[in-house]
Amino acid sequence: MEQDNEEEVKTFKDLGICEQLVEACDSLGWKNPSKIQAEAIPHALEGKDLIGLAQTGSGKTGAFALPILQALLEAPQAFFACVLSPTRELAIQIAEQFEALGSGIGIKCAVLVGGVDMVQQAINLAKRPHIVVGTPGRLVDHLSNTKGFSLRTLKYLVLDEADRLLNEDFQKSIDEILDEIPRERRTYLFSATMTKKVRKLQRACLRNPVKIEAASKYSTVDTLKQEYCFIPAKYKECYLVYILTEMSGSTSMVFTRTCDATRLLSLILRNLGLRAIPISGQMTQAKRLGALNKFKAGECNVLICTDVASRGLDIPSVDMVINYDIPSNSKDYIHRVGRTARAGRSGVAISLVNQYELEWYIQIEKLIGKKLPQFSAQEEEVLMLFDRVAEAKRISIMKIKESGGKKRRRGGGDDDDNDDNDVEKYLRLKSGKNGKMSKKFNKKRV
């Protein structure tokens, strides 16, 4: 099907998806293909390698899962496809989508991620699943150490969030995996951004790929309302509490720069009666999944997170994203705000910008190609919260120090000292005059 006929595509059936999988899409509430699905699926069904560039929340998982499942139906075998993901949570979520789409046809998946018992994963591999989804490091561990497990008969390899898979943390593992799998295979490479490393990988492991760009470079979706709030650093927590209180019925994700900040902020908000929960790379896998499930289930409606949660996590009910700390890498802004306004829904993104983050914020505006409007907040009302927030913060710091002391007495050692020091560093907030800053800020943005 030619890409210029894309407007005529109304259903998954039109794309060539078989009846069983069309029914599975229907049961998941997928009525019409997204742009990336409409463009990628016909090429995939023709047996082409793919490079898919699409903004986050665009339905990338369906774009590679449906063709793989259709090919599997035609020629069933164990270890048919392998999907690599940069984060554990995303790997688990991809496997859930495969299982949901393949529930009527008996699809078996194995998830191979760190932080989970390797023995149980080895038992799952012994059951010879059709699809293996994992993070590169743990997959290499199993290829090296799990008796009887190999990917020598693999037919499909998917690299999801490829731009992140190609950083130094994963490079060695990816090379080892590519050495272990057959050259005769289909390869799908999906990425939000096209970096030099993605191009290099494309040359190394794809054959005459079809490139599909389902979004303009570094764009945010039209249904997303984006605003900024320029504030003195010392009032940042007050503004956060003010916004969360004003939007009290919303489900919100709050992004911070450090793991310690997630812990501190969630304690402050809980002390003020808000249902907040942290998620960060410092937490065990079980705790991370527990926090995510509580948030998805609505037990907590504020998730305080680092960039570990900025990619790929599909939490459909997120109404608002707050950038408590502005990311130093502008592209991370795109991924963060992509947690809301997904799949055609509307959403709000508010960035709290203090005097020390101004340059980073200006880079974000340049990247997305627009100047954002200001979030209207009455400073007098915000500052009325100051005493309550300061008290909640004092109690939270005491709690963190106490828990650090308990860990040390149990033999926690240096890590806990660092934890307390990091919190102390984080709390050395600086002040600034808001009026002067605003003039300076607007002058710089012109």
Short mmCIF file of all heavy atoms in Angstrom, two decimals, residues 387-438:
data_model
loop_
_atom_site.label_atom_id
_atom_site.label_comp_id
_atom_site.label_asym_id
_atom_site.label_seq_id
_atom_site.Cartn_x
_atom_site.Cartn_y
_atom_site.Cartn_z
N ASP A 387 4.93 28.67 54.94
CA ASP A 387 5.19 28.12 56.28
C ASP A 387 4.84 26.64 56.37
O ASP A 387 5.60 25.85 56.94
CB ASP A 387 4.41 28.90 57.35
CG ASP A 387 4.96 30.32 57.52
OD1 ASP A 387 6.13 30.55 57.10
OD2 ASP A 387 4.23 31.19 58.03
N ARG A 388 3.69 26.27 55.78
CA ARG A 388 3.28 24.87 55.83
C ARG A 388 4.25 23.97 55.07
O ARG A 388 4.60 22.88 55.51
CB ARG A 388 1.87 24.71 55.23
CG ARG A 388 0.75 25.08 56.18
CD ARG A 388 -0.61 24.92 55.53
NE ARG A 388 -0.84 23.54 55.10
CZ ARG A 388 -1.54 23.21 54.03
NH1 ARG A 388 -2.07 24.14 53.25
NH2 ARG A 388 -1.73 21.95 53.72
N VAL A 389 4.70 24.47 53.91
CA VAL A 389 5.63 23.68 53.09
C VAL A 389 6.98 23.56 53.80
O VAL A 389 7.59 22.48 53.82
CB VAL A 389 5.80 24.32 51.69
CG1 VAL A 389 6.91 23.64 50.89
CG2 VAL A 389 4.49 24.23 50.90
N ALA A 390 7.45 24.66 54.41
CA ALA A 390 8.73 24.64 55.13
C ALA A 390 8.69 23.63 56.28
O ALA A 390 9.66 22.89 56.51
CB ALA A 390 9.05 26.04 55.66
N GLU A 391 7.57 23.58 56.99
CA GLU A 391 7.43 22.63 58.11
C GLU A 391 7.41 21.19 57.58
O GLU A 391 8.06 20.29 58.14
CB GLU A 391 6.14 22.94 58.89
CG GLU A 391 5.85 22.01 60.06
CD GLU A 391 6.93 22.03 61.15
OE1 GLU A 391 7.82 22.92 61.14
OE2 GLU A 391 6.89 21.13 62.00
N ALA A 392 6.68 20.96 56.49
CA ALA A 392 6.62 19.61 55.90
C ALA A 392 8.01 19.17 55.43
O ALA A 392 8.38 18.00 55.57
CB ALA A 392 5.64 19.62 54.72
N LYS A 393 8.77 20.13 54.93
CA LYS A 393 10.12 19.84 54.46
C LYS A 393 11.05 19.48 55.63
O LYS A 393 11.83 18.52 55.54
CB LYS A 393 10.65 21.07 53.71
CG LYS A 393 11.97 20.90 53.03
CD LYS A 393 12.16 22.12 52.16
CE LYS A 393 13.57 22.29 51.68
NZ LYS A 393 13.71 23.49 50.87
N ARG A 394 10.90 20.24 56.72
CA ARG A 394 11.73 19.98 57.90
C ARG A 394 11.49 18.56 58.43
O ARG A 394 12.42 17.81 58.71
CB ARG A 394 11.41 21.02 58.99
CG ARG A 394 12.32 20.98 60.21
CD ARG A 394 11.86 21.95 61.28
NE ARG A 394 10.56 21.60 61.83
CZ ARG A 394 10.37 20.63 62.74
NH1 ARG A 394 11.39 19.89 63.15
NH2 ARG A 394 9.16 20.38 63.20
N ILE A 395 10.21 18.18 58.50
CA ILE A 395 9.84 16.83 58.98
C ILE A 395 10.38 15.76 58.02
O ILE A 395 10.89 14.73 58.45
CB ILE A 395 8.30 16.71 59.11
CG1 ILE A 395 7.79 17.65 60.22
CG2 ILE A 395 7.87 15.28 59.39
CD1 ILE A 395 6.30 17.90 60.19
N SER A 396 10.31 16.05 56.73
CA SER A 396 10.77 15.08 55.72
C SER A 396 12.28 14.86 55.82
O SER A 396 12.75 13.72 55.72
CB SER A 396 10.41 15.58 54.31
OG SER A 396 9.02 15.76 54.20
N ILE A 397 13.03 15.94 56.01
CA ILE A 397 14.50 15.82 56.12
C ILE A 397 14.85 15.00 57.36
O ILE A 397 15.73 14.13 57.32
CB ILE A 397 15.17 17.22 56.19
CG1 ILE A 397 14.95 17.96 54.86
CG2 ILE A 397 16.66 17.09 56.46
CD1 ILE A 397 15.24 19.43 54.94
N MET A 398 14.13 15.24 58.47
CA MET A 398 14.37 14.47 59.69
C MET A 398 14.12 12.98 59.43
O MET A 398 14.90 12.12 59.84
CB MET A 398 13.44 14.95 60.82
CG MET A 398 13.97 16.20 61.52
SD MET A 398 12.74 16.89 62.65
CE MET A 398 12.39 15.50 63.72
N LYS A 399 13.04 12.69 58.72
CA LYS A 399 12.69 11.30 58.44
C LYS A 399 13.77 10.63 57.58
O LYS A 399 14.16 9.49 57.84
CB LYS A 399 11.34 11.25 57.71
CG LYS A 399 10.71 9.86 57.68
CD LYS A 399 9.36 9.89 56.99
CE LYS A 399 8.23 10.14 57.97
NZ LYS A 399 6.89 9.93 57.34
N ILE A 400 14.28 11.35 56.57
CA ILE A 400 15.33 10.82 55.71
C ILE A 400 16.60 10.54 56.52
O ILE A 400 17.23 9.50 56.38
CB ILE A 400 15.61 11.77 54.52
CG1 ILE A 400 14.44 11.72 53.53
CG2 ILE A 400 16.91 11.42 53.82
CD1 ILE A 400 14.48 12.79 52.46
N LYS A 401 16.94 11.49 57.41
CA LYS A 401 18.15 11.31 58.24
C LYS A 401 17.99 10.14 59.18
O LYS A 401 18.92 9.36 59.38
CB LYS A 401 18.45 12.60 59.01
CG LYS A 401 19.02 13.69 58.12
CD LYS A 401 19.48 14.87 58.93
CE LYS A 401 20.24 15.85 58.05
NZ LYS A 401 20.68 17.05 58.73
N GLU A 402 16.81 10.02 59.77
CA GLU A 402 16.56 8.90 60.69
C GLU A 402 16.68 7.57 59.96
O GLU A 402 17.31 6.64 60.45
CB GLU A 402 15.16 9.01 61.30
CG GLU A 402 15.08 9.97 62.48
CD GLU A 402 13.63 10.24 62.88
OE1 GLU A 402 12.76 9.39 62.57
OE2 GLU A 402 13.37 11.29 63.49
N SER A 403 16.07 7.47 58.79
CA SER A 403 16.12 6.20 58.05
C SER A 403 17.55 5.92 57.60
O SER A 403 17.99 4.78 57.59
CB SER A 403 15.18 6.22 56.85
OG SER A 403 15.62 7.15 55.89
N GLY A 404 18.32 6.97 57.29
CA GLY A 404 19.73 6.79 56.94
C GLY A 404 20.52 6.26 58.12
O GLY A 404 21.33 5.35 57.99
N GLY A 405 20.25 6.79 59.32
CA GLY A 405 20.92 6.33 60.55
C GLY A 405 20.62 4.88 60.84
O GLY A 405 21.50 4.10 61.19
N LYS A 406 19.35 4.50 60.67
CA LYS A 406 18.95 3.10 60.92
C LYS A 406 19.69 2.16 59.98
O LYS A 406 20.16 1.10 60.36
CB LYS A 406 17.44 2.93 60.73
CG LYS A 406 16.63 3.44 61.91
CD LYS A 406 15.14 3.37 61.60
CE LYS A 406 14.34 4.14 62.66
NZ LYS A 406 12.96 4.35 62.24
N LYS A 407 19.79 2.58 58.69
CA LYS A 407 20.49 1.72 57.71
C LYS A 407 21.95 1.56 58.09
O LYS A 407 22.52 0.49 57.97
CB LYS A 407 20.39 2.34 56.31
CG LYS A 407 19.05 2.11 55.64
CD LYS A 407 19.06 2.73 54.28
CE LYS A 407 17.64 2.76 53.70
NZ LYS A 407 17.58 3.54 52.49
N ARG A 408 22.59 2.66 58.56
CA ARG A 408 24.00 2.58 58.95
C ARG A 408 24.19 1.62 60.11
O ARG A 408 25.13 0.85 60.15
CB ARG A 408 24.53 3.97 59.30
CG ARG A 408 24.98 4.75 58.09
CD ARG A 408 25.83 5.93 58.48
NE ARG A 408 25.04 6.94 59.16
CZ ARG A 408 24.27 7.82 58.55
NH1 ARG A 408 24.14 7.77 57.25
NH2 ARG A 408 23.60 8.72 59.23
N ARG A 409 23.25 1.67 61.08
CA ARG A 409 23.36 0.77 62.23
C ARG A 409 23.21 -0.69 61.80
O ARG A 409 23.74 -1.59 62.41
CB ARG A 409 22.32 1.12 63.30
CG ARG A 409 22.67 2.39 64.06
CD ARG A 409 21.85 2.52 65.32
NE ARG A 409 20.46 2.83 65.06
CZ ARG A 409 19.99 4.05 64.77
NH1 ARG A 409 20.81 5.08 64.70
NH2 ARG A 409 18.71 4.25 64.53
N ARG A 410 22.48 -0.90 60.67
CA ARG A 410 22.34 -2.26 60.14
C ARG A 410 23.49 -2.61 59.20
O ARG A 410 23.49 -3.64 58.56
CB ARG A 410 21.02 -2.40 59.37
CG ARG A 410 19.80 -2.32 60.24
CD ARG A 410 18.60 -2.92 59.50
NE ARG A 410 18.33 -2.22 58.25
CZ ARG A 410 17.46 -1.20 58.15
NH1 ARG A 410 16.80 -0.76 59.21
NH2 ARG A 410 17.26 -0.62 56.98
N GLY A 411 24.45 -1.68 59.07
CA GLY A 411 25.61 -1.97 58.20
C GLY A 411 25.48 -1.42 56.80
O GLY A 411 26.12 -1.90 55.88
N GLY A 412 24.63 -0.38 56.63
CA GLY A 412 24.45 0.21 55.29
C GLY A 412 25.69 0.90 54.79
O GLY A 412 26.00 0.90 53.62
N GLY A 413 26.48 1.52 55.71
CA GLY A 413 27.78 2.08 55.34
C GLY A 413 27.71 3.38 54.56
O GLY A 413 26.83 4.19 54.74
N ASP A 414 28.73 3.55 53.70
CA ASP A 414 28.98 4.82 53.04
C ASP A 414 27.83 5.32 52.19
O ASP A 414 27.59 6.50 52.09
CB ASP A 414 30.22 4.72 52.15
CG ASP A 414 31.46 4.45 52.98
OD1 ASP A 414 31.41 4.76 54.18
OD2 ASP A 414 32.44 3.92 52.44
N ASP A 415 27.09 4.40 51.56
CA ASP A 415 26.02 4.81 50.66
C ASP A 415 25.03 5.70 51.37
O ASP A 415 24.53 6.67 50.82
CB ASP A 415 25.28 3.59 50.10
CG ASP A 415 26.13 2.89 49.05
OD1 ASP A 415 27.10 3.50 48.59
OD2 ASP A 415 25.80 1.76 48.74
N ASP A 416 24.77 5.37 52.64
CA ASP A 416 23.79 6.15 53.37
C ASP A 416 24.33 7.53 53.73
O ASP A 416 23.59 8.51 53.76
CB ASP A 416 23.36 5.41 54.64
CG ASP A 416 22.65 4.12 54.27
OD1 ASP A 416 21.63 4.20 53.56
OD2 ASP A 416 23.13 3.06 54.66
N ASP A 417 25.66 7.60 54.01
CA ASP A 417 26.27 8.92 54.24
C ASP A 417 26.10 9.79 53.01
O ASP A 417 25.73 10.94 53.09
CB ASP A 417 27.77 8.77 54.54
CG ASP A 417 28.00 8.23 55.94
OD1 ASP A 417 27.26 8.64 56.84
OD2 ASP A 417 28.90 7.39 56.12
N ASN A 418 26.37 9.19 51.84
CA ASN A 418 26.23 9.93 50.59
C ASN A 418 24.81 10.39 50.39
O ASN A 418 24.55 11.48 49.91
CB ASN A 418 26.64 9.05 49.40
CG ASN A 418 28.13 8.77 49.43
OD1 ASN A 418 28.87 9.50 50.07
ND2 ASN A 418 28.56 7.70 48.77
N ASP A 419 23.86 9.50 50.76
CA ASP A 419 22.44 9.80 50.59
C ASP A 419 22.08 11.07 51.35
O ASP A 419 21.47 11.99 50.83
CB ASP A 419 21.62 8.61 51.09
CG ASP A 419 20.15 8.80 50.80
OD1 ASP A 419 19.80 9.09 49.65
OD2 ASP A 419 19.36 8.66 51.73
N ASP A 420 22.53 11.13 52.64
CA ASP A 420 22.23 12.30 53.45
C ASP A 420 22.93 13.53 52.89
O ASP A 420 22.35 14.62 52.86
CB ASP A 420 22.67 12.07 54.90
CG ASP A 420 21.65 11.22 55.65
OD1 ASP A 420 20.55 11.00 55.11
OD2 ASP A 420 21.95 10.78 56.76
N ASN A 421 24.21 13.37 52.49
CA ASN A 421 24.93 14.52 51.94
C ASN A 421 24.26 15.05 50.70
O ASN A 421 24.17 16.26 50.50
CB ASN A 421 26.38 14.12 51.61
CG ASN A 421 27.19 13.89 52.88
OD1 ASN A 421 26.82 14.40 53.93
ND2 ASN A 421 28.25 13.12 52.78
N ASP A 422 23.79 14.13 49.84
CA ASP A 422 23.12 14.55 48.60
C ASP A 422 21.86 15.33 48.91
O ASP A 422 21.54 16.33 48.25
CB ASP A 422 22.75 13.33 47.75
CG ASP A 422 23.97 12.77 47.04
OD1 ASP A 422 24.99 13.49 46.99
OD2 ASP A 422 23.88 11.65 46.55
N VAL A 423 21.11 14.87 49.93
CA VAL A 423 19.89 15.59 50.31
C VAL A 423 20.25 16.98 50.81
O VAL A 423 19.62 17.98 50.45
CB VAL A 423 19.10 14.80 51.39
CG1 VAL A 423 17.96 15.64 51.92
CG2 VAL A 423 18.57 13.52 50.80
N GLU A 424 21.33 17.05 51.63
CA GLU A 424 21.76 18.36 52.15
C GLU A 424 22.15 19.29 51.00
O GLU A 424 21.79 20.45 50.96
CB GLU A 424 22.94 18.19 53.11
CG GLU A 424 22.57 17.57 54.45
CD GLU A 424 21.57 18.40 55.21
OE1 GLU A 424 21.61 19.64 55.11
OE2 GLU A 424 20.73 17.82 55.88
N LYS A 425 22.91 18.74 50.02
CA LYS A 425 23.31 19.54 48.86
C LYS A 425 22.08 20.05 48.12
O LYS A 425 21.99 21.19 47.72
CB LYS A 425 24.15 18.68 47.90
CG LYS A 425 25.60 18.56 48.27
CD LYS A 425 26.29 17.69 47.21
CE LYS A 425 27.44 16.92 47.84
NZ LYS A 425 27.83 15.79 47.03
N TYR A 426 21.14 19.11 47.94
CA TYR A 426 19.93 19.44 47.18
C TYR A 426 19.14 20.57 47.85
O TYR A 426 18.50 21.38 47.21
CB TYR A 426 19.07 18.18 47.05
CG TYR A 426 17.77 18.44 46.35
CD1 TYR A 426 17.74 18.65 44.99
CD2 TYR A 426 16.59 18.52 47.06
CE1 TYR A 426 16.56 18.92 44.33
CE2 TYR A 426 15.40 18.80 46.42
CZ TYR A 426 15.40 18.99 45.06
OH TYR A 426 14.23 19.26 44.42
N LEU A 427 19.24 20.61 49.20
CA LEU A 427 18.44 21.58 49.94
C LEU A 427 19.08 22.96 50.03
O LEU A 427 18.48 23.88 50.57
CB LEU A 427 18.17 21.05 51.36
CG LEU A 427 17.24 19.83 51.39
CD1 LEU A 427 17.21 19.24 52.77
CD2 LEU A 427 15.87 20.22 50.94
N ARG A 428 20.32 23.09 49.53
CA ARG A 428 20.94 24.42 49.58
C ARG A 428 20.36 25.29 48.48
O ARG A 428 20.99 25.56 47.47
CB ARG A 428 22.46 24.29 49.43
CG ARG A 428 23.12 23.74 50.69
CD ARG A 428 24.62 23.64 50.49
NE ARG A 428 25.17 22.66 51.41
CZ ARG A 428 26.11 21.80 51.12
NH1 ARG A 428 26.63 21.78 49.92
NH2 ARG A 428 26.56 20.95 52.01
N LEU A 429 19.13 25.67 48.67
CA LEU A 429 18.43 26.46 47.64
C LEU A 429 18.87 27.92 47.71
O LEU A 429 19.07 28.47 48.80
CB LEU A 429 16.92 26.35 47.85
CG LEU A 429 16.36 24.95 47.73
CD1 LEU A 429 14.89 24.95 48.04
CD2 LEU A 429 16.60 24.41 46.34
N LYS A 430 18.96 28.52 46.52
CA LYS A 430 19.37 29.92 46.46
C LYS A 430 18.15 30.79 46.18
O LYS A 430 17.16 30.31 45.66
CB LYS A 430 20.40 30.08 45.34
CG LYS A 430 21.60 29.16 45.51
CD LYS A 430 22.29 28.97 44.19
CE LYS A 430 23.36 27.90 44.30
NZ LYS A 430 23.94 27.56 43.03
N SER A 431 18.24 32.03 46.51
CA SER A 431 17.08 32.90 46.30
C SER A 431 17.33 33.89 45.17
O SER A 431 18.44 34.03 44.69
CB SER A 431 16.78 33.67 47.59
OG SER A 431 17.88 34.49 47.91
N GLY A 432 16.27 34.60 44.78
CA GLY A 432 16.39 35.60 43.73
C GLY A 432 15.17 36.49 43.72
O GLY A 432 14.13 36.12 44.21
N LYS A 433 15.29 37.67 43.16
CA LYS A 433 14.17 38.60 43.12
C LYS A 433 13.33 38.32 41.88
O LYS A 433 13.81 38.46 40.76
CB LYS A 433 14.69 40.05 43.09
CG LYS A 433 15.45 40.43 44.36
CD LYS A 433 14.48 40.74 45.47
CE LYS A 433 15.22 41.16 46.72
NZ LYS A 433 15.62 40.04 47.56
N ASN A 434 12.11 37.95 42.08
CA ASN A 434 11.27 37.47 40.98
C ASN A 434 11.03 38.54 39.91
O ASN A 434 11.08 38.27 38.73
CB ASN A 434 9.94 36.98 41.54
CG ASN A 434 9.26 36.03 40.57
OD1 ASN A 434 9.93 35.42 39.76
ND2 ASN A 434 7.96 35.94 40.64
N GLY A 435 10.79 39.78 40.34
CA GLY A 435 10.51 40.85 39.38
C GLY A 435 11.66 41.07 38.42
O GLY A 435 11.51 41.07 37.21
N LYS A 436 12.88 41.23 38.98
CA LYS A 436 14.06 41.45 38.15
C LYS A 436 14.30 40.26 37.23
O LYS A 436 14.65 40.41 36.08
CB LYS A 436 15.30 41.65 39.04
CG LYS A 436 15.36 43.03 39.69
CD LYS A 436 16.61 43.13 40.53
CE LYS A 436 16.61 44.43 41.34
NZ LYS A 436 17.72 44.47 42.30
N MET A 437 14.12 39.09 37.79
CA MET A 437 14.37 37.87 37.00
C MET A 437 13.44 37.80 35.80
O MET A 437 13.86 37.44 34.71
CB MET A 437 14.15 36.62 37.85
CG MET A 437 15.26 36.38 38.85
SD MET A 437 15.21 34.69 39.40
CE MET A 437 13.52 34.51 39.85
N SER A 438 12.17 38.14 36.00
CA SER A 438 11.21 38.03 34.90
C SER A 438 11.60 38.92 33.73
O SER A 438 11.52 38.51 32.59
CB SER A 438 9.81 38.42 35.39
OG SER A 438 9.36 37.45 36.29
#
